[in-house]
Amino acid sequence: MLLNTLFARPRRMFGAIALISAAMLAFGILYLQNVVGLEPCPMCIVQRYALIIVGVFCAIAACSKSPAAWRLWGLLAVAMSAFGAFTAARQSWLQWNPPPIATCGRDLFGMIESFPLQRAIPMIFKGSGDCSAVDWTFLGGTIANWSFVWFLVFAGAILMALLKLPRGRGGVMPA
């Protein structure tokens, strides 16, 4: 019932994703980082930025009244969700198959300041010892595992809502 209501009203669905993204960021920053004391690794920071961008795109879509705008911002949010899911999947793989030598590499900003971008990006996805560390779990899943699941949920929900939009210019959708 709730899902049908959200999919029938794309602005509400986009708003819900924006709110969930904000809540996840608040949990990660306010609780995990500031209370528990976990410092994010470079891949965690990339996932955090992807989540911020998904939330912003969904918030813009929620404020739009045009189905064309919903399609544009929705597809951009899906693309960013796919990028976030890729990053989370790569980090999950590193956690399941840690490198033989676990060393803490440079942080994300140190990499970007010290190396050209075309060299820093592969270094981020190569991971380091801190990217493969499992510091916190919930129901058997790491932060990267849960991040992967939520990025897929967001992408799937947006695609389902976009597929339910009327085709052509004449269809008007309820807000």
Side-chain angles (χ1 to χ4, degrees):
M1 175 80 175
L2 177 64
L3 289 178
N4 287 336
T5 303
L6 285 175
F7 291 139
R9 301 188 182 275
R11 291 177 69 189
R12 289 185 184 175
M13 191 267 316
F14 284 120
I17 292 175
L19 285 174
I20 293 168
S21 297
M24 290 171 62
L25 287 165
F27 176 75
I29 296 168
L30 299 176
Y31 179 70
L32 291 178
Q33 190 170 346
N34 292 327
V35 174
V36 177
L38 299 179
E39 288 299 319
C41 71
M43 294 179 98
C44 293
I45 292 171
V46 170
Q47 291 169 59
R48 188 178 288 181
Y49 286 143
L51 188 60
I52 290 168
I53 294 170
V54 168
V56 168
F57 286 165
C58 286
I60 293 170
C63 293
S64 302
K65 295 184 179 183
S66 159
W70 297 337
R71 283 186 185 95
L72 171 68
W73 294 111
L75 289 175
L76 289 172
V78 166
M80 191 51 64
S81 291
F83 174 72
F86 169 79
T87 306
R90 176 69 179 145
Q91 185 175 5
S92 294
W93 186 87
L94 283 171
Q95 290 172 342
W96 294 326
N97 303 295
I101 300 172
T103 61
C104 289
R106 293 176 175 255
D107 66 344
L108 177 67
F109 302 109
M111 285 185 215
I112 292 173
E113 287 177 353
S114 301
F115 299 103
L117 199 55
Q118 66 265 22
R119 191 161 165 219
I121 290 175
M123 290 171 67
I124 292 167
F125 288 101
K126 181 179 177 192
S128 61
D130 54 352
C131 287
S132 63
V134 176
D135 298 322
W136 183 86
T137 61
F138 177 71
L139 297 176
T142 66
I143 297 170
N145 301 147
W146 284 108
S147 181
F148 176 77
V149 167
W150 278 104
F151 279 123
L152 289 184
V153 166
F154 292 159
I158 294 167
L159 286 174
M160 293 264 304
L162 293 178
L163 288 174
K164 291 187 178 237
L165 287 178
R167 305 274 183 229
R169 296 181 188 204
V172 176
M173 194 75 179

